[in-house]
């Protein structure tokens, strides 16, 4: 793929609508002659599938659900939680955190909203993490896990394990992350529910790949990709393809890696997720270094750093600088390599 195509993708965020991904049978019922209570159920089901369609549709369903439900009812709070996720997805982090704080305050004053309370605490923990407050994030995730386990809600428990594992993974603590992911996978015992697992499989695969266990990594990533395709989950598909491409890179299967990267970018173009876009750019830059397309690799890593310069995402910046260093090394540009390596050391020490 030409580098200019990647840069266009990064800076203009192509948004592609897909009617088939939005579960047409649900849409048909939603726009039919249904009672309001039935519409609320359908809207909630659609919101849970938010990675299968554009953010424009997502906010439309959220606002519709908010309008149809009684303020501060359980269902109303669920749609407000989805709005936090929407604001987070479009990088409106201050607004998202402000809304999450108001939901947390309400849940702490009114019992009986444990599902929303647990989910919103996991979101709040991510805001702590994005500001570099690891210990506060960790404490908030443990609080959410305790609520999920008291409720004995398998779905909430697995979401909590996934969330805490993800944070360890983002901090390059792969063995700790694997422990949480595998714990979540073991909880899901029925075939029907196993077919709905995507991120637990994919994140665990990424961690196994990073510690060199490529066999287990490939097994899990293929399980996750199969489920993501069947469920039309664009974000999970893009993540899984990027993970598998890295496994292919590590096992010297460059053509398969390139194919997966290009397919992943086609799915990533359907969302507006800057956080994961930065990872994709770093990974593709590393790939370009491995095939000696260093000018493209350098430009891509630099574009990624510019994209996230206003965010306090130390791990993402480190990943992009590492990619930049690999390209400078492959290009034998040792002066620039030395400068970047100093930055890598500073970020590593910071983490």
């Amino acid at each position: 793929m030409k580098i200019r195509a990647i840069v266009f993708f990064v800076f203009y965020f192509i948004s592609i609508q897909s009617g088939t991904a939005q579960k047409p049978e649900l849409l048909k019922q939603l726009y039919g002659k249904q009672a309001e209570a039935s519409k609320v159920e359908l809207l909630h089901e659609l919101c849970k599938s938010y990675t299968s369609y554009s953010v424009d549709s997502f906010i439309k369903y959220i606002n519709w659900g908010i309008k149809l439900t009684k303020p501060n009812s359980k269902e109303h709070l669920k749609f407000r939680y989805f709005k936090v996720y929407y604001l987070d997805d479009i990088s409106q982090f201050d607004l998202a955190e402000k809304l999450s704080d108001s939901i947390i305050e309400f849940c702490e004053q009114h019992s009986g909203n444990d599902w929303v309370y647990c989910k919103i605490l996991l979101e709040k923990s991510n805001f702590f993490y994005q500001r570099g407050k690891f210990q506060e994030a960790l404490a908030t995730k443990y609080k959410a896990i305790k609520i999920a386990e008291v409720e004995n809600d398998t779905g909430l428990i697995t979401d909590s394990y996934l969330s805490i594992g993800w944070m360890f993974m983002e901090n390059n603590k792969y063995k700790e992350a694997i422990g949480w992911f595998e714990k979540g996978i073991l909880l899901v015992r029925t075939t029907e529910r196993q077919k709905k697992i995507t991120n637990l499989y994919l994140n665990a695969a990424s961690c196994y790949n990073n510690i060199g266990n490529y066999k287990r990594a490939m097994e899990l990533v293929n399980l996750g990709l199969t489920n993501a395709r069947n469920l039309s989950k664009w974000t999970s598909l893009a993540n899984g393809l990027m993970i598998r491409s890295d496994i292919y890179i590590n096992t010297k299967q460059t053509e398969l890696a390139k194919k997966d990267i290009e397919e992943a970018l086609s799915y990533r173009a359907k969302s507006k997720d800057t956080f994961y876009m930065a990872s994709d750019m770093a990974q593709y830059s590393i790939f370009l270094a491995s095939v000696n397309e260093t000018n493209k690799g350098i430009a891509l890593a630099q574009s990624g750093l510019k994209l996230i310069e206003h965010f306090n995402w130390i791990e993402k910046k480190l990943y992009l600088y590492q990619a930049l260093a690999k390209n400078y090394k492959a290009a034998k540009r040792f002066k620039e390599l030395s400068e970047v390596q100093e930055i890598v050391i500073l970020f590593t020490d910071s983490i």
Side-chain angles (χ1 to χ4, degrees), residues 162-223:
L162 172 64
S163 183
I164 195 169
W166 169 84
M167 193 172 72
F168 280 115
M169 178 180 72
E170 287 295 314
N171 273 270
N172 302 325
K173 297 179 183 293
Y174 301 119
K175 290 183 179 179
E176 292 94 330
I178 285 169
W180 287 102
F181 294 144
E182 290 284 18
K183 194 175 178 181
I185 290 169
L186 285 172
L187 273 178
V188 184
R189 297 179 181 178
T190 66
T191 302
E192 182 182 355
R193 295 197 65 178
Q194 286 169 351
K195 290 180 180 178
K196 295 180 181 179
I197 294 177
T198 53
N199 294 337
L200 272 172
Y201 287 146
L202 298 177
N203 287 349
S206 178
C207 291
Y208 278 114
N209 175 47
N210 280 305
I211 63 172
N213 188 341
Y214 304 126
K215 182 179 178 181
R216 180 62 173 159
M218 187 62 76
E219 175 190 354
L220 289 170
V221 78
N222 285 334
L223 286 171

Side-chain angles (χ1 to χ4, degrees), residues 294-327:
T294 54
N295 288 337
K296 294 179 180 180
I298 289 165
L300 187 61
Q302 290 174 335
S303 295
L305 287 165
K306 185 174 181 180
L307 181 69
I308 63 170
E309 63 183 344
H310 299 301
F311 299 111
N312 188 31
W313 296 342
I314 297 173
E315 293 78 13
K316 296 298 180 190
K317 290 178 181 178
L318 172 60
Y319 194 13
L320 283 159
Y321 275 116
Q322 287 171 332
L324 193 57
K326 286 181 182 293
N327 279 278

